[in-house]
Amino acid sequence: MENNRQQEQWIDEVLHSTQGMLRAEPSAGFMAGIEAKLRHPQGKKAISFPIKWAAAAMLLLALNIGSVVYATGKAHKAATPAADTNPFAREIQSQNLYNY
């Protein structure tokens, strides 16, 4: 019974602990500064629409050129083996080997 009464008393203290508190308010200068920035915005300018398309086209072109250069370089390396390669290794590569 005593424990229940102490619990009720603690709940009442917690619920009434906010009485007398005031709401936080910003200073007048802070609010005036925010309102001035809202009236006269000075921010980043958006990039125009054609510039975005030009940048996207340049990126796409660079990726395409890079992939073509990479693919042709890889094919060229595969077509011309090094001079010091073992001739038996070249012969084995030209045959299909199956384990069944």
Side-chain angles (χ1 to χ4, degrees):
M1 190 71 154
E2 179 68 27
N3 190 18
N4 198 14
R5 190 169 50 112
Q6 287 178 347
Q7 188 177 10
E8 290 293 326
Q9 185 180 2
W10 179 79
I11 291 172
D12 288 337
E13 287 176 10
V14 170
L15 289 176
H16 297 298
S17 66
T18 58
Q19 288 182 347
M21 295 181 78
L22 299 175
R23 188 176 182 145
E25 294 182 9
S27 64
F30 182 72
M31 286 302 292
I34 291 176
E35 289 172 356
K37 286 181 182 178
L38 288 174
R39 279 190 229 112
H40 306 290
Q42 296 174 344
K44 297 178 184 176
K45 293 184 179 179
I47 300 173
S48 65
F49 190 68
I51 293 175
K52 289 180 185 177
W53 278 107
M58 287 176 35
L59 179 65
L60 185 62
L61 185 63
L63 287 173
N64 283 334
I65 290 172
S67 64
V68 167
V69 168
Y70 177 75
T72 57
K74 193 173 185 180
H76 180 65
K77 287 180 184 176
T80 57
D84 60 342
T85 304
N86 188 345
F88 293 114
R90 278 185 274 165
E91 181 67 26
I92 290 173
Q93 289 176 355
S94 66
Q95 296 177 2
N96 291 333
L97 300 175
Y98 299 101
N99 290 331
Y100 56 89

